[in-house]
Amino acid sequence: MRTRKKIDVWTFVSIGLLILFAVFLIYPLINLLRESVFSDGKFTLDAFRKFFSKSYYYTSIFNSAKIALTVTFVSLLLGIPFSYFYSFFKMKGKKLLFVLVLLSTMSAPFIGAYSWILLMGNSGLITTFLKSFGLPNFSIYGFGGIVLVQSLKLFPLVVIYMNGAFRDIDNSLLEAAESMNCSGIKRFFKVIMSLTMPTILAAALLVFMRSFADFGTPVLIGRGYSTFPVLIYNQYLGENGADYHFAAAISVIAVIVTAVIFIIQKVSTNRFKFTISALHPVQPKETKGIRGILMHLFTYFLVSIAMLPQLYVINMSFRNYNNSILRPGYSLINYQKAMEKNLFRSIGNTLSISFVTLIVIIIIAVLIAYLVVRRSNLMNNAIDVISMMPYIMPGGVIGIALIISFSSSPFYLTGTMMIMVTALAIRRMPFTSRSATAAMMKISESIEEAALSLGASKFTTFTKLTIPMMSSGIISGAVLSWVSVITEMSSGVILYNNRTITLTLSTYAAINNGTYGVAAVFATITTIFTVICLAIYLKLTKIEDVRL
């Protein structure tokens, strides 16, 4: 009698994940593409012709690319030396330096833009100070301001990536280089930079994508400097109502542009693909003399400038404001006004949406990591690729695709918390899934086989052995996902309403309404949540580094 072959439970998990991504990612993207080429039931390319026929539209691509390339270059220029000094030398207050670097990047980019408006806007603190001495003031508005704000926000990402890369360099390679008269600056560029090139390219891609997709910074300080994410938002919510057809066409173009950049990065990375193992890690050296002083000045000055906006916005939350007009003195009036403007609802929505989103992200990311590493096949590799697609998509594209797909029965989700959770989970899952996959690769399969041979079930082995061993990678990715979720702007600004408004979106709404003091309150509370998240992370991991 022939026995029926038992279907493995992981096959059902793979099928379930595939269906999930098909419904909430592939289906919306197909609808987005259909919306871009169909109008009134007829196939047409009018929306694409409209885009490329007016310079106002197509120059936004070049503007966004110009900003992203400049920000990437500046971030690498600042982040690589910062990380080199941090990793290769014994810096004073190293723990504090690490915490400040993380805090610098763990807040909404547009909060930094708003803070710089308070500092260097037309009536900003620094602007007024310069005017009192008859000095010309630097305008925070336009291309230069966007690059400044984004670079100070994103260079810490380069530091985080490069810390791990520098830590993995074997000291014997550096000693060998010195024995061949290759030392100092020459060794840095010929040996160290070559060994870390894959990480440099990965960090550059992350910075480029974050800059290219940023909505909050250019919408606040662009002042007519049109960028792609702002254009998508304006066309979707134009003065004449929502134009789904044209907004969808622009979104498709955005996906194509970012996909091309992603492919170029992947091809470039493959040229530098190799593996190194730090059997003899680099031991940090003492910093002495003028060189040590300059290192400390560079790192602490840079991180102080990056932290300045967050500290200043906290100060401004206690200043007396009459809408956008600053008055003398300090009080709690802004906090009182914020309570009248849905402060508690914003906090409740932020926490509930973020926690639910994070739970979804962690569960799916862990499952994907296990499937990709332990059960690699065509279907599981397809799931991995599909889950990474949002990594290269601006948030506005995801938001518009979900609204087009789920704004009518029987799948009416528009305006609900579920659509917010869906968008955020899709957008921010790659952080955790990549980190969890990297952690999974480091776990020897023989450990799991030993547990099974001792009578443990597959489920018990997975939940009580594999997941705990992956915990560092899961936590690292979850922290980045959590912070990016609570500070998400580009997709949320399209999807939210008064019932689902979060702290970040409340800040944006208050700025638009000209109530700067209230906006500072919402931004301050968002920063506090970020600090709490970072403190929990450091407590759980007890490390001074983030492995990505």
Side-chain angles (χ1 to χ4, degrees):
M1 185 176 179
R2 183 179 297 177
T3 58
R4 183 176 296 179
K5 186 178 180 180
K6 187 177 180 180
I7 300 177
D8 189 11
V9 68
W10 287 106
T11 303
F12 290 106
V13 172
S14 299
I15 294 171
L17 289 176
L18 199 59
I19 293 173
L20 201 63
F21 281 113
V23 172
F24 291 107
L25 182 57
I26 302 301
Y27 171 67
L29 291 178
I30 291 174
N31 284 336
L32 182 74
L33 179 61
R34 183 190 300 133
E35 185 70 31
S36 70
V37 296
F38 281 92
S39 180
D40 298 325
K42 297 180 180 179
F43 179 83
T44 176
L45 297 177
D46 286 345
F48 292 94
R49 278 192 286 267
K50 178 182 176 181
F51 180 87
F52 289 106
S53 65
K54 294 184 179 180
S55 62
Y56 170 75
Y57 296 132
Y58 64 74
T59 53
S60 65
I61 299 177
F62 300 109
N63 288 345
S64 289
K66 181 181 176 182
I67 289 172
L69 286 171
T70 307
V71 169
T72 301
F73 175 76
V74 174
S75 297
L76 292 174
L77 199 62
L78 297 175
I80 293 175
F82 190 110
S83 179
Y84 177 75
F85 298 151
Y86 178 90
S87 302
F88 284 80
F89 297 92
K90 294 180 179 179
M91 305 291 292
K92 303 294 183 183
K94 204 169 186 179
K95 180 82 171 181
L96 174 63
L97 203 59
F98 170 70
V99 171
L100 292 177
V101 164
L102 285 184
L103 282 176
S104 299
T105 195
M106 284 186 170
S107 66
F110 88 95
I111 290 179
Y114 164 58
S115 302
W116 280 108
I117 289 174
L118 297 178
L119 286 165
M120 297 188 68
N122 294 333
S123 302
L125 178 68
I126 297 176
T127 305
T128 305
F129 177 77
L130 293 174
K131 285 181 179 178
S132 66
F133 287 93
L135 298 173
N137 61 289
F138 169 77
S139 175
I140 197 64
Y141 301 105
F143 173 80
I146 297 173
V147 169
L148 171 68
V149 173
Q150 289 188 351
S151 297
L152 290 174
K153 171 60 57 179
L154 297 176
F155 90 86
L157 293 176
V158 177
V159 175
I160 292 170
Y161 267 67
M162 294 307 298
N163 283 353
F166 287 143
R167 185 181 55 245
D168 290 337
I169 293 177
D170 195 307
N171 193 48
S172 60
L173 296 174
L174 303 183
E175 292 173 350
E178 283 192 2
S179 68
M180 300 175 68
N181 295 321
C182 181
S183 59
I185 297 295
K186 185 179 179 181
R187 186 185 69 172
F188 176 78
F189 284 104
K190 284 189 170 291
V191 180
I192 296 176
M193 290 288 283
S194 296
L195 291 173
T196 57
M197 189 54 68
T199 303
I200 293 173
L201 292 173
L205 177 67
L206 177 60
V207 171
F208 184 94
M209 292 301 182
R210 291 280 288 270
S211 173
F212 190 88
D214 183 18
F215 167 79
T217 303
V219 79
L220 289 182
I221 63 177
R223 288 286 176 95
Y225 195 85
S226 175
T227 62
F228 221 29
V230 176
L231 177 65
I232 293 173
Y233 175 78
N234 289 339
Q235 294 306 312
Y236 171 69
L237 294 175
E239 295 180 358
N240 299 321
D243 186 351
Y244 286 175
H245 180 55
F246 190 46
I250 300 175
S251 299
V252 169
I253 295 170
V255 173
I256 293 172
V257 171
T258 51
V260 169
I261 299 297
F262 182 73
I263 292 170
I264 292 173
Q265 188 269 349
K266 282 295 183 185
V267 172
S268 302
T269 302
N270 287 336
R271 293 182 57 191
F272 299 94
K273 197 169 184 180
F274 53 82
T275 302
I276 57 176
S277 179
L279 297 177
H280 303 93
V282 175
Q283 297 299 318
K285 301 177 181 178
E286 293 287 346
T287 55
K288 297 179 181 179
I290 187 66
R291 187 173 68 170
I293 293 172
L294 292 175
M295 286 181 190
H296 282 87
L297 283 176
F298 173 77
T299 51
Y300 277 97
F301 177 76
L302 185 56
V303 81
S304 297
I305 296 298
M307 282 294 299
L308 180 61
Q310 296 187 50
L311 297 175
Y312 189 65
V313 79
I314 294 173
N315 169 71
M316 299 310 287
S317 71
F318 295 99
R319 292 296 305 271
N320 290 325
Y321 267 98
N322 182 9
N323 291 329
S324 60
I325 302 173
L326 184 63
R327 299 294 187 187
Y330 290 82
S331 70
L332 295 175
I333 187 65
N334 295 324
Y335 287 85
Q336 181 181 338
K337 290 180 179 178
M339 291 179 188
E340 299 170 0
K341 294 181 179 293
N342 296 328
L343 173 61
F344 294 114
R345 174 179 290 180
S346 299
I347 293 174
N349 287 342
T350 299
L351 292 177
S352 57
I353 291 173
S354 299
F355 275 123
V356 173
T357 302
L358 192 62
I359 291 170
V360 171
I361 286 174
I362 291 174
I363 292 173
I364 295 179
V366 170
L367 293 176
I368 290 175
Y370 187 84
L371 291 172
V372 169
V373 177
R374 289 289 185 263
R375 299 177 175 271
S376 181
N377 55 43
L378 183 62
M379 181 164 59
N380 292 337
N381 289 333
I383 292 170
D384 186 40
V385 171
I386 292 171
S387 70
M388 286 298 295
M389 287 171 59
Y391 180 75
I392 62 171
M393 295 181 191
V397 173
I398 300 294
I400 292 173
L402 291 175
I403 287 178
I404 291 173
S405 302
F406 301 114
S407 58
S408 59
S409 58
F411 304 110
Y412 185 82
L413 300 177
T414 304
T416 65
M417 281 196 178
M418 184 173 177
I419 201 169
M420 296 280 284
V421 170
T422 301
L424 292 170
I426 288 172
R427 281 266 288 153
R428 302 309 182 184
M429 189 176 298
F431 289 120
T432 307
S433 65
R434 289 298 89 191
S435 186
T437 300
M440 187 73 213
M441 287 179 177
K442 296 176 182 178
I443 300 174
S444 174
E445 194 169 354
S446 61
I447 298 176
E448 295 170 298
E449 292 172 349
L452 292 172
S453 68
L454 292 171
S457 66
K458 291 182 179 180
F459 180 78
T460 301
T461 302
F462 178 69
T463 55
K464 293 189 177 182
L465 180 66
T466 306
I467 292 180
M469 293 181 69
M470 295 169 62
S471 60
S472 62
I474 296 171
I475 292 173
S476 294
V479 167
L480 290 177
S481 293
W482 163 263
V483 174
S484 59
V485 164
I486 64 175
T487 59
E488 171 67 18
M489 178 78 173
S490 53
S491 61
V493 75
I494 289 176
L495 297 170
Y496 88 99
N497 57 29
N498 193 48
R499 290 183 294 107
T500 59
I501 193 167
T502 62
L503 284 168
T504 307
L505 297 170
S506 291
T507 308
Y508 174 71
I511 294 171
N512 278 345
N513 293 333
T515 52
Y516 285 1
V518 174
V521 172
F522 287 120
T524 297
I525 295 174
T526 305
T527 300
I528 290 172
F529 281 152
T530 303
V531 172
I532 293 172
C533 174
L534 177 59
I536 293 172
Y537 168 76
L538 293 174
K539 182 71 174 176
L540 291 175
T541 58
K542 300 184 184 300
I543 60 174
E544 297 184 16
D545 228 331
V546 176
R547 289 181 177 267
L548 294 176

